[in-house]
C-alpha cells in the first residue's frame, strides 16, 4: 500500500546542558551557554527536511523531590533552561526553511508580548515563526511571577482562549498591503490599514495595534499539546499542529479521530491541523545492536527509579519521594500535566510505585521504535499507514551530535528512499510546507 508522505518535527527539551554525563556529549557542560549545539541541530534537521523545531520550556527549578531543589540541580534535570525566544532567533538566523517554534507559557507572558515576539520571529525568519502555546503546569513557576499558584487546569484553558484571540487579532491588526512605501507622497504605512483591536475580555485586555508590524505568514503557526478533553478541544480550535503522546497505534488512531471530530465541530477542515506523535527511535548498526541498546536503557531505568520519580514529579507537582516505593500507587491527582498522570495511573493499576515507574519510564513515547535505520523507517511507514497521518515528533533523551547524525544521516535517508518524507522543501514559509501534504 502506498503511504502518503508524513511530517517530521524535533522536540528539543530546552536549550540546556543536554544529557550531561551521558556518552558522546563532548564538553557540553562548558559549551551549552552558546547554544551552538542546538543551532547545529537546527541546521541538520533542516538538511533532513523536517517541518519544525519545537523548543520546550519550563520556567522554574524543580523542588518536588525530597522537598528540595538538590536532586534537580545535582542531576541538571530540566535546569538550566535558556529563554527559548532568544535561542529561536539564533536558529532562525542559521536556517532558511525550517519552522521555529519556541514555547511561551500564557501565565508568564502578556498576550501583546507573545504576539510581538512571535510576530518578530516570523519577520526575521521570512515566514517561519511559530508558537508552542502552553498554559504552564507548576505552581513553582507561578511563584516566579508573583502568583501563589497557577489557576486551576480548565480555567487556564479558559484564560488561554482570550490570550490566543488577542494574539490573532493583533497579528491581524495590519492588513495586507499596509506598507505602501510611497516616496512621492511621503507615506510609508497606510493608516487606514492598521487598526486598534480594543479587546476587553474577562482575563485579558489589549488595545493594539501591534507595533512590530505585519507578519509574512499573516498568522504565525500555532502548536499545541492538549491531552485532556479540554486541552484537545482547545488545540482543535486554534492549533495548526498538535503534538501528542497517546500510547500505541490504537490510542494514536483514537486521538486522531477525536481531534478530527473536534476540528469539524470548530468548523475546520481536519487536514488543516497536523497531529504529530512523540517518538525516540533507538538505532543500531544491526538489529542486535539496537536490541542491546534497548536492554541497556531498560536496565538503567530499573536501577534509576528515583530519576524517573523526580521527572514525573516535576511535571505533575507530586513529590513521589514521600511515597512507599513498594506499595501500590493508589489514587493521585494533579493541577499539572493531567494526561501524563492519567497514563501513569493506567500503567500502574494495582502495581507498586517501583514497578509502575520502571514500566512508565521505559515507554514514554507513543510507540517504541527499535532497529536499524531501514527497519525503523519501515516501522514508521507501517504506523502511518495504520494511523492515517500526520507524522512524528522526535524527542531524543540524549541530544548530542551523534544522535543528530543517527537521525539525520541514518534514519531520514532511509525514510526518503521509501518516499514517505520530503527530500526538499517546496515552499519558503512554514505553514505552506506544513499544509503541503
Ligand atoms: C510533546 C509535548 C510537548 C510539550 N511541551 C511543553 C512545554 O514546552 N512546556 C509546558 O509547560 N508544557 C508542555 N507540554 C504540556 C502540554 O502543554 C499540556 O499541558 C499537556 O500535554 C497536558 O495536557 P492537558 O493540559 O490538556 O492535560 C507538552 C506536552 C507534550 C505532549
Amino acid at each position: 500500500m502506498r503511504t502518503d508522505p508524513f511530517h517530521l518535527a524535533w522536540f528539543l527539551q530546552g536549550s540546556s546542558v543536554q544529557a550531561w554525563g551521558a556518552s558522546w556529549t563532548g564538553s557540553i557542560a562548558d559549551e551549552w551557554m552558546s547554544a551552538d549545539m542546538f543551532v547545529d541541530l537546527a541546521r541538520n534537521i533542516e538538511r533532513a527536511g523536517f517541518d519544525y523545531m519545537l523548543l520546550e520550556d519550563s520556567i522554574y527549578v524543580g523542588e518536588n523531590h525530597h522537598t528540595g531543589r538538590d536532586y534537580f540541580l545535582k542531576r541538571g534535570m530540566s535546569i538550566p533552561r535558556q529563554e527559548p525566544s532568544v535561542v529561536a532567533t539564533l536558529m532562525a538566523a542559521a536556517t532558511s526553511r525550517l519552522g521555529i517554534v519556541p514555547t511561551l507559557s500564557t501565565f508568564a507572558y502578556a498576550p501583546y508580548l507573545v504576539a510581538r515576539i512571535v510576530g518578530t520571529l516570523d519577520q526575521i525568519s521570512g515566514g517561519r515563526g511559530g508558537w508552542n502555546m502552553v498554559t504552564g503546569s507548576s505552581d513553582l513557576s507561578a511563584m516566579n511571577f508573583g502568583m501563589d499558584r497557577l489557576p486551576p487546569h480548565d480555567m487556564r484553558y479558559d484564560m488561554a482562549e482570550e490570550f490566543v484571540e488577542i494574539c490573532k487579532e493583533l497579528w491581524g491588526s495590519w492588513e495586507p498591503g499596509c506598507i505602501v512605501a510611497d516616496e512621492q507622497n511621503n507615506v510609508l504605512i497606510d493608516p487606514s490599514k492598521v487598526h486598534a483591536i480594543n479587546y476587553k475580555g474577562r482575563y485579558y485586555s489589549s488595545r493594539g495595534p501591534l507595533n512590530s508590524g505585519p507578519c509574512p505568514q499573516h498568522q504565525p503557526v500555532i502548536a499545541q499539546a492538549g491531552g485532556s478533553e479540554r486541552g484537545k478541544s482547545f488545540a482543535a480550535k486554534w492549533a495548526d499542529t498538535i503534538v501528542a503522546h497517546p500510547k500505541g497505534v490504537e490510542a494514536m488512531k483514537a486521538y486522531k479521530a477525536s481531534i478530527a471530530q473536534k476540528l469539524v465541530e470548530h468548523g475546520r477542515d481536519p487536514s488543516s491541523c497536523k497531529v504529530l506523535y512523540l517518538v525516540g527511535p533507538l538505532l543500531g548498526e544491526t538489529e542486535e545492536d539496537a536490541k542491546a541498546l534497548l536492554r541497556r536503557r531498560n536496565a538503567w531505568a530499573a536501577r534509576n527509579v528515583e530519576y524517573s520519580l523526580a521527572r514525573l514529579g516535576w511535571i505533575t507537582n507530586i513529590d513521589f519521594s514521600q511515597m512507599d516505593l513498594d506499595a501500590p500507587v493508589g489514587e493521585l491527582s494533579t493541577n499539572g500535566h493531567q494526561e501524563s498522570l492519567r497514563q501513569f495511573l493506567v500503567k500502574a493499576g494495582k502495581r507498586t510505585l517501583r514497578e509502575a515507574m520502571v514500566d512508565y519510564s521505559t515507554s514514554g513515547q507513543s510507540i517504541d521504535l527499535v532497529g536499524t535505520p531501514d527497519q525503523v523507517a519501515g516501522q514508521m511507514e507501517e504506523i502511518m499507514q495504520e494511523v492515517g497521518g500526520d507524522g512524528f515528533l522526535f524527542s531524543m533523551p540524549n541530544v548530542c551530535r551523534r544522535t543528530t547524525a543517527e537521525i539525520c544521516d541514518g534514519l531520514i535517508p532511509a525514510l526518503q528512499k521509501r518516499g514517505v518524507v520530503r527530500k526538499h522543501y517546496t515552499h519558503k514559509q512554514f505553514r505552506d510546507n506544513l499544509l503541503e501534504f
Side-chain angles (χ1 to χ4, degrees):
M1 197 203 305
R2 211 182 126 54
T3 311
D4 290 334
F6 48 80
H7 297 272
L8 302 173
W10 191 289
F11 183 39
L12 179 66
Q13 298 277 340
S15 163
S16 61
V17 185
Q18 291 275 339
W20 173 78
S23 341
W24 311 105
T25 50
S27 310
I28 190 65
D30 300 327
E31 293 170 359
W32 64 276
M33 273 191 204
S34 72
D36 277 355
M37 192 169 93
F38 311 116
V39 173
D40 285 351
L41 173 62
R43 282 198 195 96
N44 275 292
I45 66 172
E46 176 169 273
R47 185 164 57 78
F50 277 57
D51 286 82
Y52 62 92
M53 167 81 88
L54 191 144
L55 286 115
E56 179 263 9
D57 195 33
S58 60
I59 320 186
Y60 62 104
V61 181
E63 269 184 35
N64 40 315
H65 197 67
H66 296 299
T67 55
R69 287 187 284 273
D70 291 9
Y71 190 85
F72 295 91
L73 290 169
K74 282 183 179 166
R75 305 293 293 260
M77 186 181 280
S78 305
I79 181 80
R81 273 284 186 277
Q82 293 179 312
E83 162 58 41
S85 57
V86 175
V87 179
T89 310
L90 293 175
M91 289 177 173
T95 52
S96 64
R97 291 290 183 275
L98 186 70
I100 312 284
V101 187
T103 297
L104 302 164
S105 310
T106 50
F107 76 91
Y109 301 76
Y112 193 93
L113 187 57
V114 165
R116 193 163 187 251
I117 291 172
V118 178
T120 305
L121 183 61
D122 200 46
Q123 292 168 345
I124 62 155
S125 64
R128 295 181 291 123
W131 169 31
N132 182 27
M133 207 290 331
V134 305
T135 61
S137 51
S138 172
D139 291 341
L140 293 170
S141 58
M143 288 175 211
N144 291 337
F145 293 84
M147 294 169 261
D148 293 333
R149 61 186 65 84
L150 286 177
H153 178 272
D154 284 10
M155 190 206 246
R156 295 206 292 276
Y157 280 115
D158 294 343
M159 296 171 75
E161 298 273 356
E162 289 188 5
F163 196 113
V164 178
E165 267 164 21
I166 293 181
C167 289
K168 291 189 82 72
E169 285 192 28
L170 286 169
W171 289 325
S173 64
W174 292 68
E175 285 181 31
C178 51
I179 301 192
V180 288
D182 175 353
E183 287 179 17
Q184 255 175 1
N185 294 304
N186 206 19
V187 175
L188 174 63
I189 299 159
D190 178 350
S192 71
K193 293 194 165 152
V194 182
H195 311 283
I197 65 165
N198 292 316
Y199 187 103
K200 284 207 189 328
R202 190 159 161 219
Y203 305 104
Y204 302 103
S205 300
S206 182
R207 183 165 181 271
L210 191 63
N211 73 335
S212 50
C215 304
Q217 292 186 102
H218 305 298
Q219 295 284 327
V221 167
I222 296 183
Q224 227 282 320
S228 60
E229 280 309 304
R230 181 70 184 89
K232 279 193 284 189
S233 174
F234 180 90
K237 182 164 174 194
W238 298 112
D240 299 288
T241 177
I242 296 178
V243 289
H245 57 140
K247 302 285 182 274
V249 169
E250 287 312 312
M252 290 160 78
K253 267 162 106 171
Y255 187 93
K256 188 154 167 57
S258 147
I259 292 289
Q261 189 194 335
K262 287 181 184 352
L263 283 161
V264 172
E265 281 163 19
H266 289 297
R268 295 182 63 190
D269 174 350
S271 68
S272 66
C273 178
K274 305 299 176 190
V275 180
L276 307 194
Y277 301 96
L278 209 67
V279 288
L282 272 182
L283 298 165
E285 297 279 326
T286 63
E287 186 177 343
E288 198 32 58
D289 284 347
K291 285 187 175 157
L293 273 176
L294 179 66
R295 282 195 294 277
R296 281 217 296 281
R297 192 195 69 181
N298 290 350
W300 187 93
R303 284 196 311 275
N304 294 275
V305 180
E306 188 159 19
Y307 185 84
S308 311
L309 292 176
R311 264 213 96 73
L312 185 61
W314 184 70
I315 56 171
T316 56
N317 309 314
I318 295 170
D319 190 339
F320 288 97
S321 66
Q322 308 299 316
M323 293 164 56
D324 184 349
L325 257 179
D326 295 306
V329 177
E331 303 231 327
L332 296 169
S333 63
T334 180
N335 192 29
H337 287 202
Q338 294 195 347
E339 179 57 16
S340 298
L341 184 66
R342 190 193 66 75
Q343 288 178 353
F344 171 68
L345 292 175
V346 167
K347 277 214 173 288
K350 293 197 166 44
R351 292 190 294 174
T352 65
L353 177 57
R354 184 192 306 276
E355 290 162 348
M357 192 53 81
V358 172
D359 190 1
Y360 179 78
S361 64
T362 51
S363 57
Q365 321 285 354
S366 276
I367 199 107
D368 284 338
L369 299 170
V370 182
T372 63
D374 189 52
Q375 286 171 330
V376 170
Q379 293 160 22
M380 293 172 82
E381 183 176 2
E382 263 174 44
I383 293 162
M384 276 299 114
Q385 275 173 0
E386 187 76 19
V387 174
D390 298 308
F392 296 99
L393 177 73
F394 285 75
S395 172
M396 308 304 291
N398 290 343
V399 171
C400 62
R401 290 183 171 88
R402 180 178 164 148
T403 329
T404 311
E406 281 176 356
I407 301 295
C408 299
D409 300 311
L411 178 59
I412 305 304
L415 286 164
Q416 288 170 337
K417 269 190 210 138
R418 288 168 180 266
V420 293
V421 297
R422 70 162 63 84
K423 268 193 177 162
H424 307 286
Y425 296 92
T426 308
H427 303 285
K428 283 191 168 165
Q429 295 193 350
F430 179 12
R431 184 181 284 96
D432 293 338
N433 284 315
L434 197 59
L435 295 182
E436 184 187 357
F437 40 80

